[in-house]
Amino acid sequence: MRWWGWGREDRRLPLTRAFAKLLDTRLGLDGSSREPVALAEVAVAEPALSERARQRLEESVGGAAWVRSDPLSRIIHSGGKSYLELVRMRAGAPLGAPDAVVFPASHEQVLAVLATASAERVAVVPFGGGTSIVGGLAPTPGAQHAVISLDLARLAGVYTVDPRSLTISVAAGTRGPALEAALAEHHLTLGHYPDSFEFVSIGGCAATRSVGQASSGYGRIDQAIQGVRIATPIGELASAALPASAAGPALRELIVGSEGVLGVITGLLMRVRTRPARQRYEGVVFETFAGAAEALRTVVQDHATPDVVRLSDEIQTAILMAAGESAGRRAPLGWRGLRGRDGVLMIVGWEGQRDSLDRRRLHTMTLLRRGGGTPIGVQSGRAWAAARFAAPYVRDELLGHGVLADQFETAGTWSGLEPLRATVTAAIMEALNACGTPPLVGSQISHAYDTGASLTFTVLARALEGQEEAQWRAAKDAASAAIVRAGATISHHHGIGRDHAAWAEAELGALGVSSLRALKAHLDPFGVMNPGKLVTEY
Ligand SMILES: Cc1cc2nc3c(=O)[nH]c(=O)nc-3n(C[C@H](O)[C@H](O)[C@H](O)COP(=O)(O)OP(=O)(O)OC[C@H]3O[C@@H](n4cnc5c(N)ncnc54)[C@H](O)[C@@H]3O)c2cc1C
C-alpha cells in the first residue's frame, strides 16, 4: 500500500477533464496541485521502546526479523486512511508513529505479545488491512511508555471449509481478495465487498462491524460471523461457533465491533454462500430522492430487496458519473442512459442462480416501476461495477487538487430518513460556508433494512491549505452533532475509532460506556489495548 495514499504504486486514476472542470467551477479551485512530500521528509520521532521490551517481543514472535523499527515500516503503520490522516501524511507530519511494528504468526504468539506488552507497559494497536477511516489505528501510547503496531499479515489463511454446513474457519489477518480467491476454489463466497475491499482484513472487518456493497443480500459482516476467537492480555476468550444458541447473552456480540480495545481477534468461523452463477446490476432513474427512497422502502418491506442497492441524490449522481468516468473505460458508455435526464440514480443488483435471480429481479423491478422508477438498463450497472473500488484512488487525486474530500455516514429509520438527510446536509453546508469554502454535499443510501437505511454523505470543498484540520473538524463536528440530535447512529459501518469516540456516549449511554469500560478493565487490566479508541479515555 502506498504510504501517502491508496493502492499500489503503479495504479493511479487521474481525474477526467470534465470532473476537474466541475470541481473548479463548483468549488472555486485555483488549479494548483499539492503533491506529497518525499518519504525522507516525513518526520517521525526516535523509537521509545525499551531494549528489554524489544527483546521480549522478539522472543514472542520468533526472532528480530518480526519486530521492525525502520522508518518506512513505522510510517506505513502510523495510521489509517482517513482524510485527515492522508492530509497529514502527504505533508510529512503524521500524528505520531508506532515505536515498532510486530508481526505475530499464530494465536499463541499474539497471546505472548499481549502478555509481554502488559508486563512491559507497551500499548498495542492491532493492524489488519490498515484501512480505518475513523482514526482506529492512531498509535496512541496512552499511559504506556511506548506503542507497537501489531500487524496481523502473517496470521493469514483459510483453515477449514465445510461446504455442507456452508461454514469456514479463517485466520484474522486474511485479506479480502485472498479470502475470496480461496473460497472460489470451493465454489463459495463470503460476499463481503466494502469499498475498501482490496486491502481489508477479515479480522479488521469483524473488529469494526464492517458492511459490504452487497450487504442487502449477503448481510453485514456481523451477520456472517458464527464464532470468534480473541487473544486478550489475560488469556483466550472464544465464543462457540453454533448456528443458534440460547445460552445467555451472546459473547460474540461483545467481541465483534470491539475495535481492538479488548484484545486481538485471531480467528473467525464464518457463514459463507454458494458462489453465484450470475450477477446482474442495472440502473433505475427516479424524479426525486424522496420518491426513490419511498419506492425502496416498499421493496424492502415486501421482501423484494436486491443484493446491491445504491440510491444517490442529484449531487451524488453527478459526482458518481464524473468520478466513475475517471475510473474506467466502460463508464462513459454506461452513464449514457442517464445523460439528458433530470433525476436521481438507483443502482440495483442481484447475485445468485439463474432462475431465482430472474424471479427476484422481476419482483423488485415491478415494485420500483410502480414507485415511479424508470429502468435505464445494464450499462449503468456495468459502469458502477467497473468503478466499484475506484473511490479511494479518486480521493487521492482530489487531495492532489487541493480538495477536502470525505464521507460521513449514519443510519436512521424510514420515518426519519428525509429529515435526517436534510439536517445533516444543512449542518455540513453551514459549517463549510462559514469557513468560506462552499461545499458540494451529496448523499446516498447504500444499505437498506426493514426498519430504515444507511445514509452516506460525500463532502467536497476547496481545502484551506495549512488549516485543513480546523476546516475538516468544523464540518465533522457539525455533522456528528446533527446526527446525534436527530437520534441516528454515529456510525453505520466505519466504527467509532478515535474520531467518533466523543460521540459514543450519546448513543450508548453513560451506563453503556461504563459497562464496556468495566469489561475492558477486566480483560486488559493494564490498559494496553488500543488506547483512545471506542470507549477508552486517552
Ligand atoms: C476508501 C475507503 C472506503 C471504505 N469503505 C468502507 C465500506 O464500504 N464499508 C465499511 O464497512 N468500511 C469501509 N471503510 C472503512 C474500513 O475499510 C473498515 O473499517 C474495515 O473494516 C477495516 O478493516 P481493516 O482490516 O483495514 O482494519 P484496520 O483498519 O487495520 O483496523 C480497524 C480497527 O480494528 C482494529 N483491528 C484490526 N484488526 C483487528 C483484529 N484482528 N482484532 C482486533 N482489532 C482489530 C484496529 O486496531 C482498528 O481500530 C472504508 C475505508 C476507506 C479508506
Side-chain angles (χ1 to χ4, degrees):
M1 174 86 93
R2 214 177 245 137
W3 60 269
W4 54 264
W6 191 261
R8 299 188 202 290
E9 286 299 339
D10 55 355
R11 185 158 188 235
R12 286 187 80 157
L13 294 177
L15 304 182
T16 56
R17 227 179 284 158
F19 195 14
K21 198 168 152 209
L22 172 86
L23 295 169
D24 287 351
T25 47
R26 296 294 295 266
L27 306 182
L29 304 184
D30 61 11
S32 63
S33 65
R34 301 180 196 175
E35 289 304 311
V37 301
L39 180 61
E41 288 175 45
V42 181
V44 287
E46 283 300 304
L49 191 66
S50 73
E51 201 38 48
R52 195 179 65 178
R54 165 178 286 278
Q55 267 177 23
R56 289 188 64 182
L57 287 169
E58 288 173 3
E59 284 161 21
S60 302
V61 292
W66 304 114
V67 180
R68 298 187 191 148
S69 288
D70 60 284
L72 181 58
S73 298
R74 293 177 64 215
I75 288 166
I76 288 173
H77 293 83
S78 67
K81 299 293 177 184
S82 70
Y83 166 73
L84 218 49
E85 284 168 322
L86 294 188
V87 165
R88 294 194 68 112
M89 193 61 107
R90 294 170 68 103
L95 257 182
D99 297 296
V101 185
V102 179
F103 295 85
S106 67
H107 173 77
E108 289 67 30
Q109 289 190 357
V110 175
L111 281 171
V113 168
L114 300 189
T116 298
S118 296
E120 298 291 334
R121 302 294 194 273
V122 174
V124 180
V125 182
F127 190 100
T131 68
S132 169
I133 205 164
V134 290
L137 296 166
T140 314
Q144 317 304 330
H145 90 272
V147 55
I148 59 167
S149 173
L150 192 70
D151 189 318
L152 299 166
R154 290 173 77 207
L155 197 62
V158 174
Y159 297 131
T160 59
V161 177
D162 178 350
R164 195 169 157 77
S165 308
L166 286 179
T167 58
I168 57 156
S169 60
V170 57
T174 312
R175 296 288 174 93
L179 176 57
E180 282 299 336
L183 291 180
E185 288 177 20
H186 301 271
H187 205 63
L188 297 170
T189 180
L190 178 62
H192 185 70
Y193 293 98
D195 293 359
S196 45
F197 169 74
E198 286 179 282
F199 292 95
V200 291
S201 69
I202 190 71
C205 289
T208 55
R209 281 189 188 279
S210 157
V211 176
Q213 294 168 350
S215 69
S216 299
Y218 291 92
R220 305 168 54 97
I221 194 80
D222 32 290
Q223 293 172 300
I225 296 173
Q226 303 286 293
V228 55
R229 189 183 194 200
I230 178 171
T232 80
I234 60 165
E236 171 181 326
L237 183 68
S239 81
L242 300 163
S245 164
L251 277 179
R252 184 184 58 210
E253 288 301 310
L254 284 173
I255 299 170
V256 175
S258 60
E259 299 188 11
V261 307
L262 302 179
V264 180
I265 297 168
T266 54
L268 293 142
L269 193 111
M270 312 288 303
R271 175 264 287 152
V272 291
R273 298 260 170 88
T274 304
R275 211 164 185 77
R278 233 177 109 201
Q279 293 161 322
R280 183 182 166 109
Y281 310 114
E282 61 192 275
V284 183
V285 175
F286 289 81
E287 276 179 21
T288 65
F289 185 86
E294 185 55 15
L296 180 58
R297 181 185 69 79
T298 316
V299 162
V300 174
Q301 293 178 345
D302 205 39
H303 305 292
T305 317
D307 298 319
V308 173
V309 179
R310 322 282 284 186
L311 166 60
S312 302
D313 71 0
E314 289 84 349
I315 293 178
Q316 184 69 36
T317 301
I319 295 171
L320 196 70
M321 285 172 65
E325 287 180 8
S326 296
R329 277 185 299 119
R330 265 195 169 150
L333 184 64
W335 302 129
R336 200 180 286 159
L338 196 60
R339 288 237 165 73
R341 290 175 198 266
D342 287 333
V344 301
L345 175 67
M346 184 190 289
I347 295 289
V348 278
W350 300 265
E351 304 190 354
Q353 309 319 313
R354 197 162 293 272
D355 294 350
S356 62
L357 190 149
D358 288 340
R359 202 172 358 97
R360 292 175 57 218
R361 175 178 173 271
L362 184 65
H363 189 181
T364 315
M365 293 304 272
T366 304
L367 292 175
L368 289 179
R369 271 205 196 87
R370 210 176 282 162
T374 307
I376 58 167
V378 292
Q379 294 284 22
S380 51
R382 288 190 188 136
W384 170 79
R388 65 190 288 188
F389 303 123
Y393 295 92
V394 174
R395 182 179 61 164
D396 279 348
E397 301 300 323
L398 291 171
L399 265 64
H401 279 71
V403 177
L404 180 164
D406 205 355
Q407 290 198 324
F408 305 151
E409 43 88 40
T410 180
T413 57
W414 288 115
S415 316
L417 209 63
E418 201 47 35
L420 175 65
R421 192 170 81 92
T423 186
V424 176
T425 303
I428 300 168
M429 301 280 297
E430 192 183 332
L432 288 171
N433 283 338
C435 294
T437 52
L440 275 174
V441 182
S443 45
Q444 186 180 62
I445 292 177
S446 40
H447 312 277
Y449 306 90
D450 282 358
T451 56
S454 69
L455 273 177
T456 300
F457 300 88
T458 298
V459 184
L460 302 177
R462 178 172 58 83
L464 286 176
E465 201 165 6
Q467 298 169 56
E468 289 96 341
E469 184 156 351
Q471 180 193 20
W472 175 84
R473 206 160 286 289
K476 181 73 179 173
D477 284 352
S480 302
I483 285 169
V484 166
R485 262 197 320 273
T489 178
I490 195 63
S491 177
H492 168 262
H493 57 271
H494 289 160
I496 296 282
R498 180 200 50 198
D499 294 350
H500 293 142
W503 306 95
E505 192 169 314
E507 182 158 340
L508 304 176
L511 195 55
V513 168
S514 62
S515 302
L516 286 178
R517 284 189 181 146
L519 178 65
K520 178 174 171 60
H522 175 63
L523 296 175
D524 177 24
F526 298 101
V528 298
M529 293 307 311
N530 213 0
K533 321 295 161 28
L534 190 56
V535 293
T536 64
E537 278 131 322
Y538 297 106

